[in-house]
Amino acid sequence: THTMEGPPSDPGVNFRALEQLFRNMEERKRDGEWTFEVQVSLLEIYNEQIRDLLADCKAKQKAKLEVKASKHGMHVPGLTMVAVADRKQVLKLMTLGKKNRTVAATQMNADSSRSHSMLSTYVVARNSLTGETARGKLHLIDLAGSERVSKSGVKGAQLAEATNINKSLSALGDVIQARANKQGHVPFRNSTLTYLLQDSLSADSKTLMFVQVSPVGSNAGETQCSLNFAARARQVELGRASKHTSK
C-alpha cells in the first residue's frame, strides 16, 4: 500500500503514473488533433466479492457485482465510473475509496489490508483529422499481502479474509506459472482477481509487478516465498502490446 499510494511527501506509483498519463495527454492536445475522454473506477475484491469503493450509498457498495467479458476486454457492469479531467480529481476519488476500503489490525500489521484494491483508468482518444479512435486502460492494483495465520493471529471473520486473500494470490501464482510455461490453458477463472485481469495478463498488454519483502529475520520464510513468487513472475513473456484503434 505504501508503494502504490505513498504519503503526500513521497507519492506512490498511483500518483506518479496518473501524473505522467495526464502530462502525456496535455502534450498530445496541444496540436489540436487529439481529444481525450477519461473515466476512473475504484473497487476492492473482498472475500472474492467485488465492492464498489466509489458507490454513493451503502446499498450500492453491497450490490452484487460480477466480472464480464466484452469487446473491449474484461469489465464489471454496474461499477461506478467517474469522468475526470485531471489528476487532482482522481486524487479526490482515491481519498474517498481509501475511506471505504476494508482494513483491520492483526498481530503483524496495525492497518492490514483485508482486500485487493484496483484503481482503473480508461482512456478514449480521438483524432479529428484521421477519424481514428484509440482505447486503453491502466489498472493500478494494491494486492493484500499473503498471510500466515499462525503469525497474524487472526480469528473469525479475519480468518476467512486471510483464507480468501491467500487463495486469490495462489490463483495468481498459478496463472503466472501457466503463462511462464506457455501452457495452452491458463486458469484465469479460478479467482475473481485473475478473471478480472485476464486481458491484462494476456498477450496484448504490459504488466509491472512490485514484490515487497521484509528485512526482519523472523520473516525470512515469508521473504523467501515472496522472492520465489517474483522469480516465477519474471519468467512470463507477454510479448509486444498493440494499440486498440478503430475508425
Side-chain angles (χ1 to χ4, degrees):
T1 300
H2 176 82
T3 299
M4 298 307 295
E5 296 182 2
S9 60
D10 185 21
V13 173
N14 291 354
F15 178 90
R16 296 168 189 264
L18 292 169
E19 186 175 46
Q20 184 64 51
L21 174 64
F22 281 103
R23 186 185 299 126
N24 290 349
M25 288 190 292
E26 287 300 320
E27 292 176 356
R28 292 285 186 92
K29 286 192 287 188
R30 288 173 190 163
D31 58 16
E33 292 184 19
W34 290 94
T35 59
F36 296 90
E37 294 178 8
V38 184
Q39 289 187 307
V40 169
S41 67
L42 184 55
L43 62 82
E44 71 173 351
I45 300 175
Y46 174 77
N47 285 346
E48 287 298 292
Q49 302 298 313
I50 295 173
R51 288 183 174 180
D52 188 347
L53 295 181
L54 298 182
D56 55 9
C57 65
K58 291 292 184 181
K60 287 187 178 179
Q61 289 178 11
K62 295 181 179 180
K64 186 175 181 179
L65 299 171
E66 297 181 343
V67 181
K68 302 290 184 182
S70 73
K71 64 178 180 179
H72 298 307
M74 312 308 291
H75 73 123
V76 181
L79 187 67
T80 301
M81 303 285 289
V82 181
V84 295
D86 55 48
R87 61 177 175 82
K88 291 182 179 179
Q89 293 180 335
V90 180
L91 290 176
K92 289 182 180 179
L93 296 175
M94 289 168 58
T95 301
L96 172 62
K98 187 174 182 179
K99 291 179 180 178
N100 292 331
R101 190 179 179 189
T102 306
V103 297
T106 71
Q107 292 179 11
M108 294 188 70
N109 191 340
D111 293 295
S112 175
S113 299
R114 314 310 293 168
S115 65
H116 309 303
S117 73
M118 181 183 300
L119 171 66
S120 300
T121 304
Y122 301 85
V123 180
V124 179
R126 294 184 175 87
N127 189 302
S128 59
L129 296 182
T130 65
E132 179 185 41
T133 297
R135 296 177 181 271
K137 58 184 175 183
L138 173 66
H139 295 309
L140 297 165
I141 304 167
D142 175 16
L143 295 174
S146 59
E147 193 168 305
R148 288 193 176 181
V149 174
S150 59
K151 284 192 173 183
S152 63
V154 295
K155 298 178 181 178
Q158 290 180 23
L159 177 59
E161 294 165 354
T163 300
N164 280 295
I165 289 169
N166 292 340
K167 178 183 175 182
S168 63
L169 292 174
S170 178
L172 178 60
D174 292 341
V175 166
I176 289 173
Q177 190 69 50
R179 292 309 314 269
N181 294 338
K182 297 180 171 57
Q183 295 176 6
H185 172 70
V186 180
F188 289 113
R189 288 179 174 267
N190 285 1
S191 79
T192 302
L193 174 68
T194 53
Y195 190 37
L196 182 55
L197 292 178
Q198 180 170 332
D199 55 341
S200 299
L201 295 173
S202 298
D204 197 22
S205 64
K206 287 295 181 184
T207 302
L208 175 64
M209 180 182 291
F210 297 90
V211 176
Q212 308 298 326
V213 297
S214 169
V216 181
S218 60
N219 294 333
E222 288 84 353
T223 296
Q224 184 175 9
C225 289
S226 296
L227 291 175
N228 289 338
F229 185 90
R232 295 205 309 272
R234 286 189 64 187
Q235 298 174 12
V236 178
E237 297 180 2
L238 296 180
R240 184 175 181 177
S242 61
K243 291 176 64 177
H244 287 245
T245 60
S246 61
K247 287 189 177 181

